Amino acid sequence: GAGVSQSPSNKVTEKGKDVELRCDPISGHTALYWYRQSLGQGLEFLIYFQGNSAPDKSGLPSDRFSAERTGGSVSTLTIQRTQQEDSAVYLCASSPTGVGEKLFFGSGTQLSVL
Amino acid sequence: GDSVTQMEGPVTLSEEAFLTINCTYTATGYPSLFWYVQYPGEGLQLLLKATKADDKGSNKGFEATYRKETTSFHLEKGSVQVSDSAVYFCALRGPDDYKLSFGAGTTVTVRA
């Protein structure tokens, strides 16, 4: 596809379950970002990938959160033992090289933890 | 650390009204400044940007000027349309950084 694709678009889960969120960036984009958007708050940076490496994981809120990227393309954000405070929209963005360029965002995954 | 503060919404306007959304920032050095917009049902997209002091970014009738003396990057449009209804985010990137720091977003609704 032409844009950043995220799946699923909506995910409802029970507290304590694990979830995986997927991001397909624009082909050829080496930089990939995960952000979290909670109700009434701004976008919170989670993690940055350059290729398959994650030089900045500083935004991950706890060790229940992890992410990987394979083949310099698809990325998966995993949340283990979900809590209600994890409910948010999780946004993925990519850019060609990650240096001084605009970000291209996906439509996000709405995660609801019951 | 670097941060952005933007005016709280929601903002409701009539068509052809003047729109201003205030944005101020805290950063070391000389950051690049951005406005992103999120239309209903769509992903965030870049609206405009400015990379140095006194630069003016403009797009789709929107303008914002990088004011270092007041650490501000206010967004303005002289005559809004219903299609401008969206959430607007101010953001910055530090000179040696690769990630954007975003404000909380301002929801704008334009009524016919």
Side-chain angles (χ1 to χ4, degrees):
Chain A
V4 177
S5 178
Q6 292 187 246
S7 60
S9 55
N10 282 282
K11 176 71 176 179
V12 180
T13 190
E14 294 180 349
K15 178 182 173 180
K17 300 286 188 182
D18 297 352
V19 295
E20 286 189 351
L21 312 180
R22 176 186 169 105
C23 172
D24 280 277
I26 293 173
S27 178
H29 281 193
T30 62
L32 187 147
Y33 307 76
W34 284 97
Y35 283 85
R36 179 168 73 173
Q37 184 178 14
S38 302
L39 192 63
Q41 303 199 11
L43 277 69
E44 174 189 7
F45 169 78
L46 298 178
I47 188 169
Y48 160 70
F49 285 93
Q50 182 58 251
N52 291 336
S53 301
D56 189 351
K57 306 178 182 179
S58 63
L60 295 178
S62 75
D63 59 8
R64 296 187 294 106
F65 288 72
S66 62
E68 65 175 12
R69 188 178 184 194
T70 55
S73 181
V74 173
S75 176
T76 302
L77 177 68
T78 301
I79 308 173
Q80 296 179 310
R81 305 181 302 282
T82 53
Q83 303 295 313
Q84 289 185 333
E85 61 263 29
D86 299 334
S87 297
V89 177
Y90 289 81
L91 295 171
C92 177
S94 70
S95 71
T97 66
V99 180
E101 307 144 324
K102 73 177 183 180
L103 301 187
F104 295 80
F105 281 85
S107 296
T109 294
Q110 173 74 62
L111 176 65
S112 300
V113 182
L114 304 179
Chain B
D2 296 347
S3 66
V4 170
T5 302
Q6 63 181 102
M7 66 182 283
E8 294 185 14
V11 174
T12 302
L13 301 166
S14 298
E15 263 192 321
E16 300 183 2
F18 185 86
L19 172 66
T20 298
I21 305 176
N22 290 340
C23 171
T24 57
Y25 67 89
T26 301
T28 53
Y30 297 87
S32 295
L33 301 174
F34 306 82
W35 278 99
Y36 276 76
V37 59
Q38 186 175 28
Y39 298 106
E42 299 183 15
L44 274 83
Q45 56 188 273
L46 179 66
L47 179 60
L48 53 83
K49 70 175 184 181
T51 57
K52 61 182 187 294
D54 300 325
D55 266 3
K56 178 185 286 187
S58 61
N59 186 24
K60 298 183 179 181
F62 288 89
E63 293 183 340
T65 301
Y66 188 142
R67 301 286 188 200
K68 186 157 182 64
E69 63 275 16
T70 54
T71 62
S72 65
F73 193 55
H74 304 322
L75 182 67
E76 298 182 336
K77 185 173 185 180
S79 178
V80 293
Q81 305 300 311
V82 172
S83 57
D84 294 323
S85 298
V87 183
Y88 293 83
F89 294 89
C90 187
L92 71 79
R93 175 189 280 122
D96 299 316
D97 208 349
Y98 38 73
K99 64 180 184 285
L100 295 180
S101 297
F102 285 87
T106 302
T107 300
V108 174
T109 301
V110 181
R111 295 181 173 169

